[in-house]
Amino acid sequence: MPKCPNCDTVVEKNASACPSCGARFRQKPPASEDVPEELEDFEDDDDDRPTRSSKATRAKQGRKSNSSSSVILIVLATVGVVSVCFCIPILIALLLPAVQQAREAARSTQAMNHMKQIGLAAHNFHDTFNQFPPSGVARPERQPQLAPNTVPQAFMTDILPFVDQAPLYNMVQRGQVWSDPLNKAAFSNVVPTYLHPSVPGQPVNAEGYAVAHYATNGKAISDQATVGIADITDGTSNTMMLGTVNDGFKAWGDPTNHRDPSSGFNGGPMSFGASNNRTAIILLFDGSVRRVPVTLSPDICSKIADYQDGQPVGEF
């Protein structure tokens, strides 16, 4: 007789439950006569206990769920990588022009600050000698007293003490012309204030002299003459003192580092110009700094070049 697997109570064949403990039996379907007549398993009254088949089913479903999640993650990762690979070049292409413009604007602002320093230095020189530099080349009635055995130097040489370059100024052998070998050491020094940050290349020429990216208005300040504020009858706010150049850079110690604004601002070794070929920067005799287009009309160029032509400049 079969027994209850829970309490070993002898039960009748094909009984559905144990009379002692009440455990229910799961009958094994008949397969053959050789199979022993005994119950293989039992079920408690608790219907929530999982069976072997339900556990296997849930395990199989879990494996399917994990596999599906892995596939989804792989697809999402692939889509993310492809998106990044395509988006980054596009973003760079969109942002690069803006970054370049911002950098160019910053360099232009720095160049304008350099010009303001030069203008302030020129006015400090004027306060001392009653004329703008260079000294020794003005009209005889307003010529500053030069020390014995000295020769006139360049505009940018005379303002060195006023742009925090007094030690460099003291290196200059004023008894010799600027190109004398004795002055080579002094005029080989690069002066950052005389440079435009946007101009590429080394700030030293083939002869080893440090160059300037600015030149004076040769009609007012040159190696032959200079002016004082009283001479500028057209007004200091209407007359150009200094401007940017983009080619043919001369040494800052060269007294011939001047050009004629009447030639315009289109650039080249003989004219003023812009490093970006669009907008040049000029310093007026009142110390103000302005941006002007390279297409500035020849009429205005001539008027800001001449300091006593008596012609109104107008807006520019």
Side-chain angles (χ1 to χ4, degrees):
M1 296 293 291
K3 296 181 180 181
C4 174
N6 191 34
C7 59
D8 290 337
T9 302
V10 176
V11 296
E12 294 180 0
K13 184 178 180 180
N14 297 326
S16 61
C18 177
S20 298
C21 64
R24 290 179 298 182
F25 304 134
R26 184 174 58 190
Q27 297 296 329
K28 183 176 180 181
S32 65
E33 295 180 355
D34 296 335
V35 179
E37 297 179 350
E38 60 180 345
L39 301 176
E40 286 195 350
D41 201 353
F42 69 93
E43 296 180 353
D44 292 335
D45 290 335
D46 188 0
D47 292 337
D48 294 335
R49 174 176 293 185
T51 62
R52 292 179 184 176
S53 60
S54 63
K55 288 181 180 179
T57 301
R58 283 196 295 269
K60 185 180 296 184
Q61 291 175 347
R63 287 193 296 271
K64 290 183 179 179
S65 176
N66 291 337
S67 177
S68 300
S69 300
S70 300
V71 171
I72 292 173
L73 290 176
I74 293 173
V75 171
L76 291 176
T78 303
V79 171
V81 170
V82 172
S83 300
V84 169
C85 292
F86 277 98
C87 289
I88 287 180
I90 294 174
L91 290 175
I92 292 176
L94 293 174
L95 292 176
L96 187 58
V99 172
Q100 290 175 338
Q101 290 179 1
R103 290 178 177 175
E104 177 61 28
R107 289 191 288 264
S108 178
T109 300
Q110 188 175 354
M112 294 180 72
N113 288 334
H114 289 173
M115 275 201 177
K116 288 181 179 179
Q117 294 178 44
I118 293 173
L120 180 60
H123 275 270
N124 287 335
F125 184 94
H126 189 283
D127 291 343
T128 302
F129 298 106
N130 198 31
Q131 71 167 40
F132 290 104
S135 62
V137 296
R139 298 173 181 175
E141 69 273 12
R142 197 174 282 118
Q143 182 174 350
Q145 181 64 42
L146 293 177
N149 301 321
T150 62
V151 296
Q153 298 293 333
F155 171 90
M156 291 185 179
T157 300
D158 280 344
I159 65 172
L160 283 174
F162 304 101
V163 291
D164 294 329
Q165 295 289 341
L168 180 56
Y169 177 81
N170 294 331
M171 290 176 59
V172 177
Q173 303 294 321
R174 299 191 66 89
Q176 308 295 331
V177 295
W178 79 277
S179 56
D180 189 277
L182 293 175
N183 278 322
K184 183 67 177 289
F187 292 116
S188 297
N189 283 271
V190 175
V191 180
T193 307
Y194 299 159
L195 300 177
H196 192 304
S198 295
V199 176
Q202 294 296 321
V204 178
N205 63 20
E207 291 76 28
Y209 291 107
V211 301
H213 296 154
Y214 315 112
T216 61
N217 170 10
K219 286 195 171 183
I221 295 176
S222 69
D223 56 331
Q224 301 298 320
T226 188
V227 297
I229 290 179
D231 301 315
I232 308 174
T233 57
D234 284 352
T236 56
S237 62
N238 297 320
T239 310
M240 176 178 159
M241 178 194 295
L242 194 83
T244 54
V245 295
N246 66 351
D247 195 8
F249 306 114
K250 290 189 176 183
W252 58 261
D254 187 349
T256 65
N257 183 29
H258 52 78
R259 305 187 185 190
D260 185 357
S262 300
S263 301
F265 295 86
N266 291 318
M270 304 302 294
S271 303
F272 290 93
S275 60
N276 59 7
N277 296 318
R278 296 188 303 273
T279 307
I281 306 173
I282 63 172
L283 169 69
L284 300 175
F285 270 99
D286 66 350
S288 62
V289 178
R290 298 187 59 174
R291 292 185 176 98
V292 296
V294 296
T295 56
L296 192 66
S297 69
D299 180 61
I300 294 179
C301 292
S302 296
K303 289 178 179 178
I304 64 175
D306 197 325
Y307 58 91
Q308 50 184 198
D309 62 359
Q311 298 295 319
V313 176
E315 294 294 330
F316 68 96

